[in-house]
């Protein structure tokens, strides 16, 4: 997760009594950790870490603070984006030997914009047990605080950091919306890219309602709501700090063209252009996937021939 535990004076952790180890999941256990406030760690999560033979974590320094606060003494082993593939055989051997291995992120729910997915897939492929302890998640907390429709929602993780790739990704998203996707959008962003990303979102998605949730559960928690353009303008002059979740309202229903609109556009262009040219023109105009436009153009051609 993008958030890291912080030691605020107002968020002082307390060592509580963990739940007994009876009934805890065996094998590989995904344990959710706090996204800011160390007090948001469940007794069951503490019990799993205390009962673990090994705790896998992104940054041993970050997890060591959490473990110290809750009297967890299990050895820590780094598993991050750059060593996950190399670490998998070692972890699988542990699991085959019947050891309990806990996997945590620096903050939040493991695998959600964090390493661990490849390890989980490898463990499942071998029929090894995989369990989880639920807990904090910045995207879901940002969604519930945004004031936007809570479902359906689509979590995008981090958009590409470079502007050209980011705009291309947003163009594909708009094509999906024009084809009928309607969902509140959730994404993470780094503070130094927030204003630029919000500007691209405003340009590509239009005047949507949105919210920027910052430093969730921490002392300086802030949720700012407005249109994408308003938020882009604010953060262009007031740089953000901390970890950030962005929530964006779904596309208006009238924004997605009906099938008749697509047919009308295709018929108009096909009257003066070849099939290939018409598909290219309408794809560029609507942002729909080329295969969708091509399939509909072929169907219209068959209807014309049969008529």
């Amino acid at each position: 997760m993008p958030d890291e535990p912080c030691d605020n004076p107002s968020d002082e952790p307390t060592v509580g009594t963990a739940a007994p180890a009876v009934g805890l999941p065996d094998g590989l256990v995904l344990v959710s950790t706090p996204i800011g406030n160390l007090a948001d760690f469940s007794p069951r999560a503490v019990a799993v870490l205390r009962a673990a033979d090994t705790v896998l974590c992104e940054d041993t320094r970050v997890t060591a603070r959490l473990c110290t606060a809750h009297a967890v003494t299990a050895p820590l082993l780094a598993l991050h984006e750059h060593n996950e593939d190399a670490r998998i055989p070692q972890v699988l051997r542990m699991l085959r030997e019947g050891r309990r291995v806990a996997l945590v992120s620096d903050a939040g729910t493991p695998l959600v914009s964090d390493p661990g997915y490849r390890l989980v897939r490898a463990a499942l492929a071998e029929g090894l047990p995989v369990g989880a302890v639920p807990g904090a998640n910045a995207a879901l907390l940002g969604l519930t605080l945004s004031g936007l429709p809570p479902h359906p929602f689509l979590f995008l993780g981090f958009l590409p950091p470079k502007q050209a790739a980011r705009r291309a990704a947003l163009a594909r998203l708009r094509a999906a919306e024009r084809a009928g996707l309607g969902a509140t959008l959730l994404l993470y962003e780094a503070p130094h890219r927030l204003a630029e990303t919000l500007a691209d979102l405003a340009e590509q998605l239009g005047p949507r309602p949105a919210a920027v949730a910052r430093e969730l559960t921490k002392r300086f928690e802030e949720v700012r709501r407005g249109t994408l353009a308003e938020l882009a303008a604010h953060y262009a002059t007031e740089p953000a700090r901390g970890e950030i979740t962005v929530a964006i309202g779904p596309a208006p229903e009238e924004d997605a063209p009906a099938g008749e609109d697509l047919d009308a556009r295709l018929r108009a262009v096909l009257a003066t252009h070849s099939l290939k040219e018409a598909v290219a023109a309408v794809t560029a105009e609507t942002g729909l996937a080329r295969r969708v436009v091509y399939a509909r153009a072929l169907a219209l051609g068959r209807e014309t021939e049969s008529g």
Side-chain angles (χ1 to χ4, degrees), residues 121-254:
R121 292 291 298 172
L124 292 174
E126 290 204 13
L128 296 167
V130 177
V133 177
N137 179 271
L140 292 180
L141 184 55
L143 172 65
T144 57
L145 292 174
S146 69
L148 299 170
H151 53 78
F153 67 85
L154 176 63
F155 176 63
L156 302 173
F158 284 91
L159 292 174
K162 294 188 176 179
Q163 188 173 63
R166 182 168 60 244
R167 288 179 174 177
L170 291 174
R172 291 191 294 271
L173 177 63
R174 287 294 293 122
E177 289 182 331
R178 289 189 177 103
L181 171 69
T184 295
L185 307 175
L186 302 175
L187 58 94
Y188 294 145
E189 190 50 280
H192 65 278
R193 288 195 300 266
L194 178 60
E196 182 179 281
T197 294
L198 287 169
D200 285 343
L201 287 165
E203 179 181 334
Q204 296 279 341
L205 304 184
R208 306 264 187 100
V212 172
R214 187 178 68 83
E215 293 289 84
L216 291 171
T217 79
K218 300 179 184 178
R219 176 185 293 176
F220 299 108
E221 176 179 301
E222 175 189 53
V223 181
R224 182 172 293 273
R225 305 169 184 87
T227 66
L228 285 169
E230 290 168 346
L231 292 171
H234 173 80
Y235 288 107
T237 58
E238 299 286 339
R241 291 183 177 182
E243 309 300 338
I244 293 159
T245 298
V246 180
I248 306 156
E253 290 186 14
E254 64 271 15

Side-chain angles (χ1 to χ4, degrees), residues 48-291:
V48 168
L49 294 193
R50 288 180 181 173
D53 297 295
T54 301
V55 176
L56 303 174
C57 53
E58 291 181 83
D59 187 329
T60 56
R61 296 165 297 181
V62 172
T63 301
R65 289 172 46 213
L66 184 67
C67 290
T68 299
H70 294 283
V72 173
T73 59
L76 305 181
L77 186 64
L79 183 142
H80 46 71
E81 179 184 357
H82 304 293
N83 76 345
E84 182 174 355
D85 288 336
R87 190 71 80 188
I88 286 174
Q90 178 184 3
V91 177
L92 294 182
R93 282 195 298 272
M94 295 179 187
L95 296 174
R96 292 189 206 104
E97 292 168 1
R99 301 185 198 179
R100 178 183 283 119
V101 179
L103 170 65
V104 301
S105 303
D106 281 352
T109 301
L111 278 66
V112 181
S113 287
D114 278 327
Y117 170 73
R118 296 192 295 273
L119 172 60
V120 168
R121 292 291 298 172
L124 292 174
E126 290 204 13
L128 296 167
V130 177
V133 177
N137 179 271
L140 292 180
L141 184 55
L143 172 65
T144 57
L145 292 174
S146 69
L148 299 170
H151 53 78
F153 67 85
L154 176 63
F155 176 63
L156 302 173
F158 284 91
L159 292 174
K162 294 188 176 179
Q163 188 173 63
R166 182 168 60 244
R167 288 179 174 177
L170 291 174
R172 291 191 294 271
L173 177 63
R174 287 294 293 122
E177 289 182 331
R178 289 189 177 103
L181 171 69
T184 295
L185 307 175
L186 302 175
L187 58 94
Y188 294 145
E189 190 50 280
H192 65 278
R193 288 195 300 266
L194 178 60
E196 182 179 281
T197 294
L198 287 169
D200 285 343
L201 287 165
E203 179 181 334
Q204 296 279 341
L205 304 184
R208 306 264 187 100
V212 172
R214 187 178 68 83
E215 293 289 84
L216 291 171
T217 79
K218 300 179 184 178
R219 176 185 293 176
F220 299 108
E221 176 179 301
E222 175 189 53
V223 181
R224 182 172 293 273
R225 305 169 184 87
T227 66
L228 285 169
E230 290 168 346
L231 292 171
H234 173 80
Y235 288 107
T237 58
E238 299 286 339
R241 291 183 177 182
E243 309 300 338
I244 293 159
T245 298
V246 180
I248 306 156
E253 290 186 14
E254 64 271 15
D255 194 45
E260 293 81 359
D261 294 335
L262 176 59
D263 289 357
R265 296 181 190 186
L266 279 170
R267 287 193 179 98
V269 180
L270 284 167
T272 56
H273 294 75
S274 68
L275 175 66
K276 181 179 179 180
E277 292 169 338
V279 169
V282 175
T283 297
E285 179 186 352
T286 64
L288 292 169
R290 183 183 182 282
R291 64 180 179 276

Side-chain angles (χ1 to χ4, degrees), residues 13-34:
T14 56
V15 178
T17 301
V22 177
L24 296 179
D26 292 321
L28 178 63
V29 188
L30 315 179
V31 180
S32 297
T33 58

